[in-house]
Amino acid sequence: MAVKSGIFWVTWANAHAQNSSRIEHLVEPFRSQAIAFIKALHDAGATVAVTATKRSVRRAYLFHWSWKIALGKCKASDATGIAGVDIQWDHGNDAASRTGANQMVTGFGLAVPPKSINAPALTSNHITGHAIDMDIIWTGTINVKDTLGKTTAIAFNGDVNANTALHAVGASYGVNKLVTDAPHWSHNGR
Amino acid sequence: MAGRILVLLIVAVSCGCQSKNSAPPPQPPVATTSTVTVSAPPLEMRLGWVTGVCFATANKSIAPGSAITVVPSDEKAPVVEGRVVGATASDAICAALLQDRRKQNGSKWSFYELKLSAPVDLGIGVTGDTRPVAGGLDLNGDGAPEKFTQCASSEGVWFRVWSGPAYQGTPLWAGYYYLGYDTEVTCPS
């Protein structure tokens, strides 16, 4: 039996639709590529802290539609369904539907910038298991081997988005930097 | 305020100052110079981003009761005044500390609860004395108002302060709020 949108679904998602920070949840070949890149970084003396890998498609679904309905970007009846999430977005009237969705936006801590037109995405490299968020830290300069065994000296740069030498080594493993979001690497740089 | 200005210092402003012991700070690099008075800390220690009643800043030691001015991301909303209640690690106060984003945001920023004169959704906060001028706030002492912007990248929100035209050149300050979910990009390329 469907459960109406509301705070229930925040609790539900936190228990049943969690995102992962485990590398083994990435898909091949990106998983092996990420593991190899991280090993090269470890071998060179860097500290790598993985904070996100595969994100839950069901969690993304709840983010997307709660955001759109709460902000009045669509009617509750417009929401599509997804397997494993028996949610009732339409409460029978617009005000109640928006109230339920808004409870979820607040509970999930979704950002609502002024003039927002773009809802949280329904799909992404994280959702398909092709992206990893990680902090890579070291002191001074380290020598990192690329996938061919060639060593590159890389100085630490507090702005990882600007550390093109690091990006090049990552790319040799098939792990490509997205330069707008500091922790984000993926199979295609997006 | 102007009478208290003793000397202008040129200081190097670097995102690298945001955390001495943690992960790389957000990009893009901020301006290489800014002006401050001897009575105020550097801009990167005064500025931060605001979500609701939560202030995220590189400054690890803001005293409770400190004054803060918040420029809401909604351009039509007026500037909001308030006070720092105190440091917090609560995800009920700071959405940036929710499970999906705590590691990323918590390793780079210090968080404070605010008491504000009006609700704010997203915005940029400035602690200490601010200098109102026609059209906004002057943070670098050049007599002209700075421009405050906010936009979304793939999985975060960028807050920036510009001394010149927005999205041209290097911002005076930049702060990145990691959301922990995927969004559509609205930042100019």
Side-chain angles (χ1 to χ4, degrees), chain A residues 159 161 179-180, chain B residues 15 26-31 158-160 162 169-171 173-175:
Chain A
D159 179 4
N161 287 333
V179 297
T180 57
Chain B
C15 282
Q27 73 90 43
V30 294
W158 277 102
F159 299 89
R160 295 183 176 101
W162 309 82
T170 304
W173 173 85

Side-chain angles (χ1 to χ4, degrees), chain B residues 25-37:
Chain B
Q27 73 90 43
V30 294
T32 54
T33 60
S34 68
T35 54
V36 297
T37 72

Side-chain angles (χ1 to χ4, degrees), chain A residues 19 51-52 55 59 108-114 118 120-121 124 126 133 135 137 158-159 161 178-181 183-184, chain B residues 23-25 27 29 73-75 98 100-101 104 108 121-122 150 153-156 158 176 178-182 184 186:
Chain A
N19 294 329
T51 57
R55 292 183 176 144
R59 192 175 187 87
F108 286 130
L110 303 183
V112 186
N118 299 314
S124 72
H126 273 295
D133 288 354
D135 284 336
I137 307 163
D159 179 4
N161 287 333
L178 174 68
V179 297
T180 57
D181 293 83
H184 188 88
Chain B
Q27 73 90 43
S73 294
D74 185 347
E75 296 168 2
L98 286 167
D100 290 352
R101 33 192 118 148
Q104 278 293 335
K108 299 172 181 63
D121 190 4
L122 296 173
Q150 159 267 311
S153 56
S154 286
E155 53 185 19
W158 277 102
Y176 175 72
Y178 175 80
L179 289 172
Y181 61 86
D182 300 283
E184 297 292 333
T186 62

Side-chain angles (χ1 to χ4, degrees), chain A residues 50-68:
Chain A
V50 177
T51 57
T53 55
K54 194 171 191 308
R55 292 183 176 144
S56 164
V57 68
R58 292 185 294 174
R59 192 175 187 87
Y61 164 84
L62 292 170
F63 283 14
H64 179 86
W65 288 108
S66 64
W67 192 96
K68 290 189 80 166

Side-chain angles (χ1 to χ4, degrees), chain B residues 18-44:
Chain B
Q18 289 175 346
S19 176
K20 293 179 181 175
N21 303 311
S22 61
Q27 73 90 43
V30 294
T32 54
T33 60
S34 68
T35 54
V36 297
T37 72
V38 294
S39 61
L43 273 182
E44 77 269 22

